[in-house]
Amino acid sequence: MSKRHPLDVVIIGAGVVGAAIAYYAARAGLSVAVVDRGPVAGGTTGAGEGNLLVSDKEAGPELDLALLSAGLWRELAAVLPHEIEYEAKGGLVVAPDEASLGALRDFAEGQRAAGVEAVEAGADQLRELEPHLAPGPVGGFLYPQDAQVQPAQAAARLLAASGASVHLGEEVTGILTGPGGVRGVRTRGGELLAPAVVNAAGTWGGRIAELAGVSLPVLPRRGFVLVTEPLPRVVRHKVYAADYIADVASGSAALQSSAVVEGTPAGPVLIGATRERVGFDRSLSVEALRRLAAQAAALFPFLADARVLRTYHGFRPYLPDHLPAIGPDPRLPGLLHACGHEGAGIGLAPATGVLIAAALTGARPPLSADPFRPARFAADPAG
Amino acid sequence: MSPTPRTLVGGAPSATYLLRFDGRELTAQAGQSIAAVLWGAGILAWRTTRQGGAPRGAFCGIGSCYDCLVTVNGRPNQRACLVPARPGDTVTTQEGTGHAELGV
Amino acid sequence: MPSSASDTAPPDLAIVGAGPAGLAAAVTAAGLGLRVTLVDAGERPGGQYYRHPAPGLGAERPEALHHGWSAFAEREAALRAHEEAGRITYLPAHHVWAVVPDGDAWTLHAVAGTGPDEAAAALHARAVLLATGSYERQLPFPGWTLPAVVGAGGAQAMLKSGLVLPGKRVVVAGSGPLLLAVAGSLAAAGARVPAVVEAAAYSAYAGHLPALLRNPGKLGEAATYGSALLRRHIRLLTRHAVTEAHGTDRVEAVTVARLDRDWRPLPGTARRIPCDALAVGHGLVPQLELATGLGCATRPTADGTLALALDAEQRTSVAGIWSAGETGGIGGAQLALLEGEIAAHAIAGRTVPAALARRRARLRAFAAAMGAAHRPGDGWTGWLRDDTDVCRCEEVTAGRIREAVDELGARDARTVKLLTRSGMGWCQGRMCGPAVAALAGDGPAPDRRPLSCPVPLRHLAQLPPADG
């Protein structure tokens, strides 16, 4: 491995979070290396739908992070190649009945106070926004800040734009430490020396933490997505039913589903995603497919006649309080974490990159990273 | 006389019938797929692609490649190499997704 | 595994695929007393190898288009007899899209019928034999998406089932023993075949003489095809490839160039051959997605594809799931028939006759020798231009795939797919998969198609809900 430039930081993970950290760290003047055992976007990023959502988050630290990210994604869309397919399409949350519309109204009220744009739409307006929507929903909310990117492209283009030295197909086998803390990483290909190491290994972030001798309780939460045959642009927004929000926030291990339906520039309609805690189980869940299909057809009846060409699954990295771990680990100087974003990693990546870059350079972060302290699950958080 | 597939296997179809392809009448032999009827009439393309608008027809011949997708009696995305031709079928060149009616 | 007396109990065995392996397994298993469900995507038994016209076409001599027709005819008759006797339930036009565990048995989900008659079907069985065969391996070249450029196996299939030809002057190209059979059939049916263009050198067989000589029957089959070509004055160009197809609305000519040992076109050797159709294919690829979806282990094979890892009695690595024929490695119809019979014995709990095991070993060795001789050389990508479509469905060019690999960090076919959409279309990478893997610098990866065919969303939505 080349040691031409002394590195300031090694980032473990070439998913969208690692790529965004590389991008903002490099822009802050740091010399950056990214290392991943697989290819770019090889883990949860590649299995994502590319949701950049504020609509599904209640007022709180995650929403603040999402709002910061929403602005950063808009800026990135102007500088990254169009292949990232950034679309400010907006989200549309529909309520099946008055009770759920009322709950949605309260939810949106809290979000507005945090800076979210949420526009109530009556049943007629829903039909104007989505002409193929089934009759039934009594109303809903339009969230113009919800957007979408093609996640693998977004990660790859961020990584390329960062100018970081990229080491793909090199598994990290050890975190090198010395008297002052972290010294770098050991991979199957050799050593990468740097005074800081960022754990951006997503669902596998717990294993990297373990290599560094600390614990971080990242667990997989499986999700299935259905992909239809290519269609004309039939679905304009990200459309989902109000109960999706409860599913996202749930800690239950059981299978939950509430379909988010959206069109893509390439033509297929994406229908995602289920949530269930079954470890790294890669077998097909016919029940997950059934629920997604039934819910999607209930929202958009024309989908019943569409063919599903494929389905895939991914493993969202989640932490017990459903917030990511972002920032330095007090238990090992020089070690930082940026993982556990659950199903929101694509959306939260730029803000995560900015926070980590600030932590690395000592700059003032645009918002407090305190709620995301990585050691918050430890028995003695001070380490 | 040079051989043909029919002289090779002998016999005769139990019936022949007409179907329409883009307004043109074609003769089908009972038991043929739609792709076979079209090939028999010297027609090798019956779909245009979504991006490039390029002409396509049967390629793999066994239902694996989906290049032979065509609109049959108004239903798009039927594999011409598998779907049996039926008397009176209306077959239409399929453009793009075949679902233009869904566009908004 | 004796049959259950109960009518409601699932059958002993479900067989997916009624080609040579599945058909042989079904009639053998039924003969050994098992209750069998034989489910097949095709309208008629026989699979691709014994593909034949529908009864309505009234062909008097379907055997004129086949080698070894009697082996099929006998088993088809046996199938009908077992059906009559209620020992086999034969379900044609059922495309199984997934096999999933269901307690101590299996559920097979299928799309039944075509067009407006499409319906959902679910079947159950205590053991499953996957005899899903193979499809043709395609290596792209400029112009390969033109109309009248068709798969070599595709031309053969259309002729066998529909009694039609793609053109009057048909160049046959690619690699593998199938090319000679295709050229022979096309010529016998009246097409002119200006040339058979084979990328491998037949001298490549020399390294495998022992395996070849132990299989005089198979050599005889090849010699039959070879002498048929001679009789019809068809030129056989070995170590050559079609490197471009020309035309606007359909192919009008092809460029043929000489190749080096690694299948790299040699400069200055290109020449044009006029034609109105091209039948092209580079061997076959085992169709494994139902098996890999269940977690069945695979192994790399001599021809550069992946096949299922099977034991001597056709067991996969997943208990209760068996496989026979091309899924265990491309080996042809004779081997598939044999393996179907072996699997049926093993599933029925009988001792596999030693003669079957011996013949299987001999034919497997022959298949490996043929596979090694026709394995594509790395240099074939040299005939791709940056604007050549590699993924036919999503119209993804070689240039975009190279960008994903060289500039965006793709190191395998899956990441190329995520970055370019190659393999995301209707065919789910069956046509472009081997090419994309080669361009990614990656070996073949196990098929990941949790749905083995497109499924109407309505069918998924109407599945019975799981308990709880």
Side-chain angles (χ1 to χ4, degrees):
Chain A
M1 262 178 216
S2 159
K3 289 181 185 171
R4 278 173 304 173
H5 310 288
L7 291 169
D8 295 311
V9 57
V10 175
I11 298 162
I12 304 169
V16 70
V17 171
I21 295 167
Y23 180 83
Y24 288 106
R27 284 215 327 176
L30 302 181
S31 169
V32 180
V34 175
V35 56
D36 195 299
R37 64 177 173 175
V40 66
T44 308
T45 297
E49 301 157 85
N51 284 334
L52 315 180
L53 297 187
V54 299
S55 58
D56 64 338
K57 295 172 181 65
E58 64 180 330
E62 195 191 5
L63 180 60
D64 296 340
L65 205 57
L67 281 165
L68 173 60
S69 262
L72 294 169
W73 270 119
R74 270 196 300 277
E75 290 171 25
L76 289 169
V79 296
L80 293 177
H82 68 89
E83 282 88 351
I84 71 164
E85 294 182 3
Y86 175 83
E87 275 194 285
K89 54 166 51 166
L92 187 63
V93 187
V94 301
D97 51 45
E98 287 297 338
S100 104
L101 183 60
L104 201 53
R105 217 172 265 142
D106 295 342
F107 189 76
E109 205 48 52
Q111 292 175 313
R112 281 202 189 104
V116 171
E117 294 170 50
V119 185
E120 183 162 351
D124 293 347
Q125 285 161 300
L126 288 184
R127 226 73 60 215
E128 272 170 42
L129 291 164
E130 289 293 346
H132 289 275
L133 198 64
V138 296
F141 274 82
L142 176 67
Y143 289 86
Q145 289 154 308
D146 282 357
Q148 179 173 5
V149 288
Q150 205 280 23
Q153 276 284 349
R157 303 287 174 173
L158 269 172
L159 194 57
S162 75
S165 81
V166 179
H167 305 266
L168 298 174
E170 293 183 24
E171 182 166 2
V172 169
T173 55
I175 309 294
L176 303 171
T177 57
V182 160
R183 288 196 304 120
V185 301
R186 185 186 312 114
T187 75
R188 298 200 190 282
E191 293 182 348
L192 287 168
L193 300 180
V197 170
V198 181
N199 170 16
T203 312
W204 297 269
R207 294 188 197 167
I208 296 296
E210 210 172 292
L211 283 182
V214 299
S215 75
L216 191 66
V218 186
L219 289 170
R221 196 175 183 193
R222 187 172 72 174
F224 278 94
V225 175
L226 299 181
V227 186
T228 72
E229 64 182 283
L231 296 167
R233 200 54 182 269
V234 194
V235 181
R236 297 169 175 176
H237 304 83
K238 286 180 180 286
V239 182
Y240 58 93
D243 45 356
Y244 174 78
I245 294 159
D247 278 359
V248 172
S250 165
S252 165
L255 172 65
Q256 292 163 311
S257 64
S258 147
V260 179
V261 180
E262 64 189 299
T264 60
V269 170
L270 297 187
I271 303 163
T274 50
R275 290 169 189 268
E276 93 195 278
R277 276 163 43 191
V278 289
F280 287 103
D281 180 353
R282 296 192 170 275
S283 61
L284 182 70
S285 165
V286 171
E287 173 63 10
L289 308 190
R290 181 193 73 77
R291 291 207 199 173
L292 288 174
Q295 290 165 349
L299 282 170
F300 290 100
F302 79 89
L303 284 175
D305 291 323
R307 247 75 67 86
V308 177
L309 294 195
R310 64 192 178 99
T311 177
Y312 62 88
H313 64 266
F315 297 100
R316 303 178 190 85
Y318 85 95
L319 284 161
D321 59 1
H322 300 283
L323 291 179
I326 305 173
D329 191 323
R331 298 166 292 187
L332 179 60
L335 176 69
L336 298 88
H337 300 282
C339 53
H341 295 74
E342 200 157 339
I346 317 292
L348 302 180
T352 302
V354 166
L355 290 185
I356 293 289
L360 288 168
T361 58
R364 188 186 156 80
L367 59 78
S368 167
D370 194 55
F372 313 116
R373 280 173 294 117
R376 65 187 186 275
F377 308 104
D380 174 10
Chain B
M1 200 183 87
S2 63
T4 66
R6 176 56 75 182
T7 60
L8 190 61
V9 300
S14 63
T16 61
Y17 38 79
L18 295 178
L19 57 79
R20 297 189 80 80
F21 171 69
D22 288 350
R24 183 177 156 191
E25 271 192 350
L26 304 181
T27 303
Q29 300 178 41
Q32 283 185 316
S33 66
I34 283 172
V37 176
L38 292 166
W39 275 26
I43 297 164
L44 274 292
W46 48 82
R47 177 172 84 85
T48 59
T49 59
R50 276 149 56 217
Q51 317 289 332
R56 298 282 177 86
F59 180 70
C60 81
I62 64 169
S64 289
C65 78
Y66 294 81
D67 239 356
C68 67
L69 294 178
V70 73
T71 298
V72 183
N73 302 324
R75 285 174 62 93
N77 296 313
Q78 305 299 304
R79 280 175 285 178
C81 76
L82 296 187
V83 175
R86 293 180 179 137
D89 275 346
T90 298
V91 180
T92 326
T93 290
Q94 177 175 319
E95 291 175 8
T97 63
H99 286 290
E101 84 288 352
L102 282 175
V104 289
Chain C
M1 197 183 284
S3 294
S4 159
S6 161
D7 281 348
T8 55
D12 301 312
L13 174 63
I15 298 174
V16 184
L23 182 58
V27 299
T28 307
L32 293 171
L34 297 190
R35 279 195 311 133
V36 177
T37 298
L38 176 62
V39 44
D40 187 50
E43 301 259 346
R44 294 176 293 288
Q48 303 312 330
Y49 189 84
Y50 293 118
R51 192 177 254 269
H52 55 282
L57 267 161
E60 281 172 352
R61 298 182 299 277
E63 67 276 15
L65 285 163
H66 287 88
H67 187 89
W69 180 251
S70 63
F72 168 70
E74 288 160 17
R75 287 172 179 86
E76 195 201 13
L79 167 66
R80 301 302 175 193
H82 285 303
E83 251 193 302
E84 288 277 299
R87 288 184 291 262
I88 295 181
T89 304
Y90 167 54
L91 301 172
H94 277 59
H95 199 138
V96 174
W97 55 262
V99 179
V100 292
D102 179 8
D104 57 357
W106 305 91
T107 297
L108 294 76
H109 294 281
V111 177
T114 56
D117 306 329
E118 225 167 39
L123 321 162
H124 307 278
R126 294 166 56 194
V128 177
L129 173 72
L130 300 172
T132 46
S134 61
Y135 53 88
E136 203 158 28
R137 173 161 57 191
Q138 295 296 343
L139 302 179
F141 49 90
W144 79 306
T145 55
L146 279 171
V149 176
V150 302
Q156 178 89 320
M158 292 284 289
L159 174 58
K160 284 178 177 177
S161 65
L163 306 181
V164 287
L165 297 168
K168 295 185 171 68
R169 273 177 77 89
V170 189
V171 171
V172 177
S175 191
L178 178 69
L179 300 185
L180 301 178
V182 171
S185 305
L186 294 175
R192 286 189 54 199
V193 179
V196 174
V197 185
E198 162 63 59
Y202 280 108
S203 58
Y205 290 180
H208 307 279
L209 276 177
L212 300 177
L213 292 175
R214 277 196 301 272
N215 289 274
K218 295 291 286 184
L219 278 185
E221 184 181 341
T224 307
Y225 294 133
S227 61
L229 298 194
L230 281 177
R231 207 167 54 242
R232 298 179 196 282
H233 308 290
I234 296 173
R235 258 185 308 170
L236 174 61
L237 299 170
T238 56
R239 200 165 274 177
H240 279 72
V242 167
T243 55
E244 182 164 5
H246 309 275
T248 45
D249 293 333
R250 70 179 287 168
V251 63
E252 290 159 10
V254 293
T255 293
V256 170
R258 190 168 162 73
L259 305 179
D260 71 9
R261 300 179 64 85
D262 295 325
W263 292 30
R264 203 167 279 105
L266 292 169
T269 62
R271 61 182 139 146
R272 249 172 121 100
I273 300 179
C275 61
D276 64 359
L278 168 65
V280 62
H282 297 82
L284 303 172
V285 183
Q287 179 141 286
L288 304 184
E289 62 266 353
L290 290 178
T292 54
L294 286 163
C296 297
T298 58
R299 65 178 181 95
T301 55
D303 58 11
T305 64
L306 283 181
L308 294 179
L310 302 172
D311 74 3
E313 298 190 331
Q314 308 299 132
R315 281 179 196 83
T316 70
S317 63
V318 174
I321 303 292
W322 311 64
S323 189
E326 306 287 53
T327 43
I330 301 305
Q334 284 180 42
L335 178 59
L337 291 166
L338 195 60
E339 290 192 341
E341 289 168 6
I342 291 173
H345 278 88
I347 295 166
R350 305 296 180 90
T351 306
V352 174
L356 296 185
R358 275 198 306 274
R359 281 183 59 212
R360 176 190 192 259
R362 208 169 62 223
L363 285 167
R364 274 275 162 229
F366 180 86
M370 295 288 276
H374 292 282
R375 181 191 184 111
D378 293 339
W380 73 265
T381 55
W383 67 58
L384 290 175
R385 290 198 307 248
D386 271 354
D387 65 353
T388 306
D389 276 333
V390 170
C391 171
R392 301 172 68 92
C393 300
E394 297 300 297
E395 301 172 85
V396 181
T397 61
R400 283 182 54 209
I401 291 169
R402 285 172 170 148
E403 181 203 29
V405 174
D406 297 339
E407 291 163 37
L408 296 177
R411 302 169 58 83
D412 57 1
R414 175 175 179 265
T415 311
V416 169
K417 167 173 151 179
L418 291 173
L419 290 170
T420 66
R421 300 194 52 75
S422 58
M424 280 198 185
W426 277 98
C427 90
Q428 289 291 291
R430 287 181 177 87
M431 295 302 113
C432 68
V436 171
L439 288 169
D442 189 23
D447 294 338
R448 286 222 291 206
R449 298 184 194 106
L451 306 179
S452 132
C453 68
V455 182
L457 185 127
R458 170 191 314 286
H459 291 191
L460 297 178
Q462 293 173 352
L463 287 164
D467 298 335

